[in-house]
Amino acid sequence: MTMISNSASVRCAGHTVTRQEVEDFLYTEADILDHWDYDGWLALFEPGARYEIPTTDHRPGWSPHETGSFVDDDWDLLRARVKRLKSRKAHAENPHSRTHRLVSNVRLSEGDTEDAFRVSASFVVHRARDGHFDAYVGWYDHLLVPTEDGLRFRLRRSVLGHESLAAGARLSFIL
């Protein structure tokens, strides 16, 4: 069983994971994504992981699989997404958007299984593309697992705080 030892750490699968470790992990991920290192990003997931972006009408407790999602990638789709983004076939991201990510309010809590724990955090992603500058705000609701190689995503969920997305808005990059 995963237990919360205090607000600054969790005990999970025989490891004590601190908020500082999780913050460093999330900051590293943000840097990897802002530098379009998708192989590096994929390496932050455990095999079988998921990547989700629920629709903007998503509410806590709703299943994004049942209520709709902008992104609902299982492991195979996640790897295919990375492969596509690295190729010239990703027309919406060729050339790449310029992004800058801010992550804050990182909080840890126990997971549903003894080998994983939950992380919530706020994000702002600034994106420059085709002469437009957009800001995407929301929060992360991740499930992380400690491994021999460090923390890894079992679930990476980005929940937008927007009431809706502008017509023609493209989530062709990793949010």
Side-chain angles (χ1 to χ4, degrees):
M1 177 175 160
T2 304
M3 298 180 61
I4 298 173
S5 59
N6 63 47
S7 62
S9 66
V10 291
R11 184 98 179 123
C12 178
H15 296 84
T16 299
V17 182
T18 66
R19 185 172 49 223
Q20 183 63 55
E21 290 174 284
V22 173
E23 288 173 342
D24 289 345
F25 176 77
L26 295 177
Y27 300 158
T28 298
E29 184 213 20
D31 190 54
I32 285 171
L33 287 172
D34 286 343
H35 287 91
W36 284 79
D37 175 10
Y38 283 118
D39 288 326
W41 184 65
L42 191 59
L44 299 178
F45 288 79
E46 71 170 1
R50 298 190 62 83
Y51 169 49
E52 300 173 352
I53 304 175
T55 54
T56 52
D57 61 349
H58 176 79
R59 297 292 174 263
W62 288 9
S63 167
H65 315 297
E66 297 170 1
T67 58
S69 297
F70 294 120
V71 174
D72 188 9
D73 288 356
D74 63 10
W75 180 240
D76 291 334
L77 287 173
L78 178 59
R79 289 185 303 165
R81 178 179 300 276
V82 166
K83 182 179 179 181
R84 185 180 53 77
L85 283 170
K86 291 172 34 183
S87 77
R88 292 188 159 274
K89 293 178 181 176
H91 301 291
E93 288 299 329
N94 189 12
H96 301 159
S97 296
R98 293 180 182 198
T99 59
H100 182 79
R101 297 157 200 275
L102 302 173
V103 178
S104 66
N105 300 334
V106 176
R107 297 201 171 125
L108 317 179
S109 61
E110 66 182 275
D112 300 331
T113 62
E114 66 184 45
D115 65 338
F117 63 97
R118 293 202 170 279
V119 172
S120 65
S122 299
F123 69 80
V124 177
V125 180
H126 296 104
R127 178 191 197 196
R129 174 91 188 142
D130 296 335
H132 298 278
F133 192 75
D134 299 304
Y136 296 83
V137 298
W139 63 93
Y140 293 127
D141 181 16
H142 301 322
L143 199 55
L144 296 182
V145 293
T147 73
E148 297 285 325
D149 299 320
L151 298 173
R152 295 293 180 263
F153 289 108
R154 179 167 290 166
L155 169 66
R156 186 186 185 283
R157 182 180 293 150
S158 305
V159 181
L160 286 164
H162 303 231
E163 290 182 355
S164 63
L165 290 179
R170 293 177 288 174
L171 292 176
S172 53
F173 65 108
I174 302 298
L175 186 58

